Amino acid sequence: MNADVSIAAPRTRLRGLSQAAGAMFLVGTLAGVSGVIQNYPVYGGQALRYLLAAAILLVVTRVTGLRFVRLTPREGALLAALSLFGLVIFNVCVIEATRRGGPTLVGTVLGTVPLALALLGGRPSPRVIGAATVVVAGATLATGLGSGDLPGLMWSLGALFCEICFSLLAIPLLPKLGAVRVSAYSAALAVPLLAVAGLLADGAAMLRVPTLPEAMGLGYQSVIVTTVAFFLWYDALPRIGAGTAGLFAGLIPVGAIVTGAVLGLGAPSLPDLLGVALVVAGLGAGLSTGLSASASSATAAGSPAAGERRPAAGAGSPAAPASSPATGGSARRSL
């Protein structure tokens, strides 16, 4: 029985690491399809994106037999805030920042997500902070230090705040709702909010029949960048914690570079490759710290003394941290 505990924790962590990496890489591929939808009304397009994603995710909840879960007023407020800040206002900030300072400015600011989550994740070790700083430097180098004015910088900082909310507001909801329902409910709530923003910004012109390339681009955003990436990210958070998961935000520009090369949009430059190398180095340093701690915890859990204490700290214990195997198990049962 002790051997099962020592094996389960590394496997749970490995799954979380791979999911976080996949989610952020997929988000990075968005740059490769953004060109085909740049002429489509932005807010209307995003409303369609989240409408399709919510429909897919709600069908998944139905097919997999996930039951309706009654939320407390606090949980309902958290979910509404997650949708408002993590999805709707985030998109508004990115759109406005891109208009004023270009994509490089907002990409550079968002490259600081790993450092922000590491600092907000409790008491990170100096090695984790150092690793996050290296990831930020690599993401910044790969993205490029674009030019922009003060309003563009402020919109970019707003996008950074919302990106942090996207993770931190979801953590209290995941043990009860699971990754699928958090993704589905937040996407569904974003649709009317984006529709209102579109009506205010573009009026009746917020929607039109998309061309075939535009439809394919919006479909990719809905199915891959929203449905799949959201699930992977929210399923990873309870397994590895926001601080470790945040390191993988450095893969966003990596995904953009790879997608651009595959689609023939341009070969990566030397700064791009150097930035990728820094991201990989920072991830390796940060994850080696976490893996060492996980191995030590698994060894302790497999000891006779830990076996004697196990009944007092079982799954669902209030003392279990968000990134513990106990909480991860709770999230998996919610799926």
Side-chain angles (χ1 to χ4, degrees):
M1 184 174 181
N2 290 343
D4 292 338
V5 173
S6 64
I7 292 173
R11 285 182 176 176
T12 297
R13 183 174 178 80
L14 181 60
R15 175 175 171 177
L17 295 174
S18 60
Q19 288 177 318
M24 291 297 98
F25 184 87
L26 289 177
V27 170
T29 66
L30 181 63
V33 299
S34 60
V36 300
I37 60 173
Q38 61 181 351
N39 294 324
Y40 194 86
V42 175
Y43 297 102
Q46 293 303 305
L48 289 176
R49 164 193 174 181
Y50 287 117
L51 178 62
L52 177 58
I56 295 172
L57 288 164
L58 289 172
V59 168
V60 172
T61 63
R62 181 76 173 180
V63 171
T64 55
L66 293 176
R67 296 173 297 174
F68 173 78
V69 176
R70 186 180 298 276
L71 298 179
T72 65
R74 176 181 177 273
E75 291 167 339
L78 281 174
L79 186 63
L82 168 62
S83 182
L84 178 63
F85 290 100
L87 278 66
V88 177
I89 298 181
F90 173 79
N91 277 280
V92 173
C93 288
V94 170
I95 293 165
E96 297 301 330
T98 302
R99 287 175 175 171
R100 288 167 170 77
T104 53
L105 174 61
V106 66
T108 299
V109 173
L110 288 177
T112 64
V113 167
L115 184 56
L117 287 178
L119 294 174
L120 293 173
R123 294 182 177 180
S125 67
R127 187 172 180 179
V128 170
I129 294 178
T133 303
V134 173
V135 172
V136 169
T140 300
L141 182 59
T143 306
L145 290 172
S147 59
D149 53 15
L150 181 59
L153 176 60
M154 298 306 295
W155 282 113
S156 298
L157 291 174
L160 173 63
F161 172 78
C162 292
E163 180 67 14
I164 294 171
C165 290
F166 181 74
S167 296
L168 297 186
L169 290 175
I171 290 176
L173 298 169
L174 289 169
K176 184 172 182 177
L177 292 179
V180 173
R181 280 179 289 211
V182 169
S183 302
Y185 297 169
S186 60
L189 284 173
V191 175
L193 296 174
L194 282 165
V196 170
L199 287 173
L200 293 176
D202 302 317
M206 65 170 287
L207 288 175
R208 62 171 173 78
V209 177
T211 64
L212 180 59
E214 288 172 341
M216 294 178 64
L218 291 171
Y220 182 88
Q221 283 191 341
S222 297
V223 177
I224 304 300
V225 180
T226 305
T227 306
V228 176
F230 276 30
F231 170 76
L232 291 176
W233 185 251
Y234 284 145
D235 198 46
L237 284 178
R239 302 176 191 277
I240 60 177
T244 300
L247 290 171
F248 290 98
L251 290 179
I252 293 177
V254 178
I257 292 169
V258 172
T259 306
V262 170
L263 296 179
L265 301 177
S269 64
L270 180 59
D272 291 334
L273 298 177
L274 291 176
V276 170
L278 279 175
V279 167
V280 172
L283 286 172
L287 297 179
S288 64
T289 302
L291 289 173
S292 298
S294 179
S296 299
S297 299
T299 302
S303 66
E308 295 171 0
R309 293 192 299 268
R310 189 178 300 114
S317 168
S323 58
S324 69
T327 308
S330 174
R332 289 194 296 277
R333 287 194 295 274
S334 298
L335 296 178

